Every structure is written in structure tokens, then in C-alpha cells.
Amino acid sequence: GQNIDQPTEMTATEGAIVQINCTYQTSGFNGLFWYQQHAGEAPTFLSYNVLDGLEEKGRFSSFLSRSKGYSYLLLKELQMKDSASYLCAVRDSNYQLIWGAGTKLIIKP
Amino acid sequence: GAVVSQHPSWVICKSGTSVKIECRSLDFQATTMFWYRQFPKQSLMLMATSNEGSKATYEQGVEKDKFLINHASLTLSTLTVTSAHPEDSSFYICSARDVRGKGNQPQHFGDGTRLSIL
């Protein structure tokens, strides 16, 4: 079966750095995506990785290792508005998105 | 950027009512649209995949006679929750995939519809 694992909840301090991990086992691989979802809102796209390595976009970076079936999302200089759920999703060989359950990130002052 | 419009954003109605939710792609053509349901504090659950001009593909456990999906054009898909009951209360989100292909943002999401059945 297909499976994506990420921690259920994480807590970090404003101004700090946090890393959210995602491991996956899917039927094929055509890219990994990170989405941010605030409570009561639809997900918004954050990042995309299809090749191994680090993709940086401002305060957010995403890393991928295809051989290990592993990715992480790194958030720097945390702000209170970063409190949200972060969803990891993998596009499989049929170009379908397989979603993780999401990681709820709580930012404390 | 690409925009998906979902309407209405909030519905409150009585048990037994049928509710229609619209999902429109505003500046691109979407051969495929997806309908998700999300219960509080849970992840997105794919309900069905809607393909323009053909029948929707429903995920296991989703009643196709209760959740009617119509994808009549490349820019519009509708989800009708028939004879809704309190257990159907949830956050329904649509997303659309651009016909131009399999790029680095595979799905554009609508803002969601919060459905509350009394």
C-alpha cells in the first residue's frame, strides 16, 4: 500500500527554526509537495521537489532524498502566523497525489 | 496565478436538504477536478476524481448516489450532497488540475465550503 508519515504535532518558539519530516512509500514517484493549511482554510502550495537536494524559497526550504523516501520542510525565523498544519503529498506513478495526515505546528512566543 | 473559485463558502441547512457546491477554474482549463472532505483535526480525504465529459471516479467508501458529481465543462465541476444529514457536516474542498500538464503545482485549491447540517 501507499503510505506517508509525518509527525502529528510539533511546537516551536517564535524566531526559531523547525524541521518537519516526511517519509513515504508510494507506487512510483513524480514529485513531492508541501502545503500549508491554516485552520478552516484550504491548503496553499509551499514547495515542490522532484530531484534530490534542497530547494530554498525565502524562510522556507524543502529537502528530498528519493533513495531514502524522505523529505523535510525547514522553516526559519518562525513567526506566529506560521502556526498551521503542514501537509506532505507525493505524486505517484499515476500522477495522483497521496496525502499525509499533516503536522500541526504550534508557535509559542 | 491560477485561481479556483468555490461557492458557497458556508452552508447551514436542515437535515434532508440537498446542497450543491460549485468549483470553477477561473483562468485555466481543468480536465480533472478533485473533491475532498476534511473533518476537524483530520487530513484531507479524497472523495472522488471528476473528469470532464465522463463519470467521476469515487474512492472506496464514498456513496456515489449520495455525492453526485458533474463535470460538464473544462472550467466547472459541481458536487451535490443529496438528502444531507448531520454526519455529512464537514469542510468540502475542491481542487483542479491544469490541462497544461504535470507541472510543479499539480492542484490548485478552492477556498472550501463549510457545510453544517442541523
Side-chain angles (χ1 to χ4, degrees):
Chain A
Q2 308 204 87
N3 193 51
I4 296 183
D5 288 317
Q6 50 181 132
T8 304
E9 186 174 297
M10 298 183 71
T11 302
T13 304
E14 188 177 17
I17 299 173
V18 71
Q19 177 176 311
I20 303 174
N21 295 324
C22 171
T23 57
Y24 63 90
Q25 294 174 309
T26 57
S27 302
F29 178 84
N30 283 293
L32 185 143
F33 304 82
W34 284 95
Y35 282 81
Q36 180 191 60
Q37 185 179 25
H38 285 100
E41 299 180 11
T44 56
F45 171 75
L46 288 179
S47 69
Y48 168 74
N49 295 73
V50 68
L51 299 177
D52 290 349
L54 188 68
E55 293 286 338
E56 297 185 79
K57 189 186 289 187
R59 294 189 298 115
F60 293 3
S61 303
S62 56
F63 171 83
L64 173 67
S65 169
R66 288 171 296 170
S67 62
K68 294 182 179 178
Y70 167 71
S71 171
Y72 67 73
L73 179 69
L74 191 72
L75 292 77
K76 303 176 183 177
E77 301 170 16
L78 286 170
Q79 301 174 11
M80 297 303 294
K81 67 179 182 179
D82 297 329
S83 293
S85 287
Y86 291 85
L87 307 175
C88 173
V90 173
R91 188 163 57 192
D92 69 10
S93 57
N94 293 319
Y95 282 83
Q96 299 299 319
L97 272 187
I98 312 300
W99 292 89
T103 298
K104 182 179 180 181
L105 177 63
I106 300 169
I107 309 297
K108 295 185 175 180
Chain B
V3 177
V4 173
S5 172
Q6 187 173 341
H7 178 81
S9 57
W10 196 293
V11 179
I12 301 174
C13 58
K14 294 181 179 179
S15 184
T17 306
S18 291
V19 178
K20 180 184 280 189
I21 303 170
E22 291 188 350
C23 182
R24 294 179 184 272
S25 57
L26 297 185
D27 58 355
F28 67 98
Q29 293 182 323
T31 52
T32 304
M33 291 186 174
F34 304 89
W35 288 96
Y36 294 89
R37 180 168 52 184
Q38 187 175 36
F39 293 105
K41 299 184 180 181
Q42 295 187 23
S43 186
L44 296 172
M45 291 173 45
L46 180 65
M47 298 176 65
T49 301
S50 168
N51 295 299
E52 186 266 338
S54 64
K55 292 183 179 180
T57 303
Y58 290 81
E59 296 299 303
Q60 191 172 10
V62 178
E63 300 175 59
K64 60 182 179 181
D65 294 332
K66 181 170 184 63
F67 299 99
L68 301 179
I69 291 173
N70 183 280
H71 193 158
S73 76
L74 284 172
T75 58
L76 174 64
S77 176
T78 60
L79 167 69
T80 301
V81 184
T82 61
S83 188
H85 290 96
E87 58 266 29
D88 298 322
S89 298
S90 188
F91 189 47
Y92 292 85
I93 310 173
C94 74
S95 68
R97 189 158 69 193
D98 195 323
V99 297
R100 288 168 294 183
K102 308 174 174 81
N104 65 354
Q105 186 175 155
Q107 296 183 24
H108 306 284
F109 286 89
D111 288 336
T113 298
R114 187 160 303 283
L115 177 61
S116 296
I117 308 297
L118 304 177

